[in-house]
Amino acid sequence: MTDIYAAGLPVLWMTEHLSVLQRRAATLRGVSQREDLAFEAVVRRIAAGPYFDGLSAGPLAPLRPASPAVVAEAEELIGRPLPSLLRRLYLEVGNGGFGPGYGLLSLRDLHQSGSTNARGGRKGHILTLCDWGCSISSQLDLADGQVWGCDPNPAPDGVPCRFPQYVTVVDWFVKWAEGTLHQPWLVQDPTTGAWRGATDAEHAEMLEDAFGPGGPAD
């Protein structure tokens, strides 16, 4: 009896362990496939029109990918690896200059909160992805992969200007590629009085009030 139990335990453990590994592999495949689709969507958006949404004073410069050395240097200074989609976009599409707002910042322009340049050598986990004008920016928290907005314009003293956007950097690029990404906008909730990021519906209402039905996006 003891010999049978002892012999069966490793088999049971291996079966359960294999099941866990299979589920984990399936999850990783799903993440990888979503990132591949996001990458392809960004490339299509770039090919279809301007590289970024902001106004340009002249012809757009060709996109030039970052070298592996520049990416490695940035990750060392930041103290964390870049999310895989963001890393691939830098390496294969361009070292900034495309995407939402006035374009993804180059790796040597990415900075931590407090306006500390990433090349300054300080470790941190907040990167500015792009500027939208008027000191508004989108920021990436590398600790959890979430994108935050920063809008210092309407908030009174004592109200944080940073707020969660509730999207990952993959979602952020997908929304931009689909034309559904709005710039961060800090608003006061009409019901609770709390300050928070505007919803898509509030953005749509604001744009319709400003430009009429069918008006411009951001």
Side-chain angles (χ1 to χ4, degrees), residues 74-93:
E75 290 179 326
E76 181 179 359
L77 291 172
I78 294 163
R80 292 175 180 267
L82 296 175
S84 54
L85 174 63
L86 186 60
R87 195 176 198 276
R88 184 180 177 188
L89 288 169
Y90 276 120
L91 286 170
E92 299 183 34
V93 176

Side-chain angles (χ1 to χ4, degrees):
M1 182 73 70
T2 303
D3 292 341
I4 295 174
Y5 177 79
L9 183 60
V11 174
L12 177 61
W13 180 87
M14 286 298 295
T15 300
E16 293 176 346
H17 186 60
L18 180 59
S19 178
V20 170
L21 292 178
Q22 288 172 335
R23 290 197 299 271
R24 185 176 301 170
T27 299
L28 292 174
R29 283 196 301 271
V31 170
S32 178
Q33 289 170 356
R34 177 159 173 75
E35 292 187 356
D36 287 343
L37 292 174
F39 180 87
E40 293 167 3
V42 169
V43 171
R44 286 195 301 270
R45 170 73 192 268
I46 291 172
Y51 300 154
F52 57 88
D53 299 334
L55 297 177
S56 175
L60 296 177
L63 295 177
R64 300 184 184 280
S67 69
V70 166
V71 173
E73 174 193 51
E75 290 179 326
E76 181 179 359
L77 291 172
I78 294 163
R80 292 175 180 267
L82 296 175
S84 54
L85 174 63
L86 186 60
R87 195 176 198 276
R88 184 180 177 188
L89 288 169
Y90 276 120
L91 286 170
E92 299 183 34
V93 176
N95 187 10
F98 64 92
Y102 287 94
L104 187 70
L105 295 181
S106 73
L107 283 172
R108 291 180 176 176
D109 290 336
L110 285 171
H111 59 276
Q112 301 163 333
S113 58
S115 298
T116 301
N117 191 292
R119 287 179 58 80
R122 290 179 57 184
K123 307 296 183 183
H125 60 87
I126 304 297
L127 299 180
T128 296
L129 292 170
C130 74
D131 292 319
W132 295 86
C134 300
S135 300
I136 299 171
S137 62
S138 291
Q139 302 176 353
L140 174 64
D141 189 332
L142 290 175
D144 61 13
Q146 296 294 306
V147 176
W148 288 62
C150 181
D151 179 8
N153 299 297
D157 291 342
V159 173
C161 61
R162 291 185 72 244
F163 49 91
Q165 297 279 264
Y166 304 107
V167 294
T168 66
V169 71
V170 175
D171 298 328
W172 191 72
F173 274 112
V174 168
K175 286 173 72 69
W176 175 73
E178 294 175 344
T180 60
L181 182 69
H182 300 292
Q183 75 175 44
W185 179 29
L186 185 66
V187 299
Q188 190 171 24
D189 191 287
T191 302
T192 66
W195 289 86
R196 56 167 175 75
T199 64
D200 286 347
E202 287 169 331
H203 272 284
E205 182 179 353
M206 180 271 293
L207 292 171
E208 183 171 339
D209 289 344
F211 301 103
D218 287 317

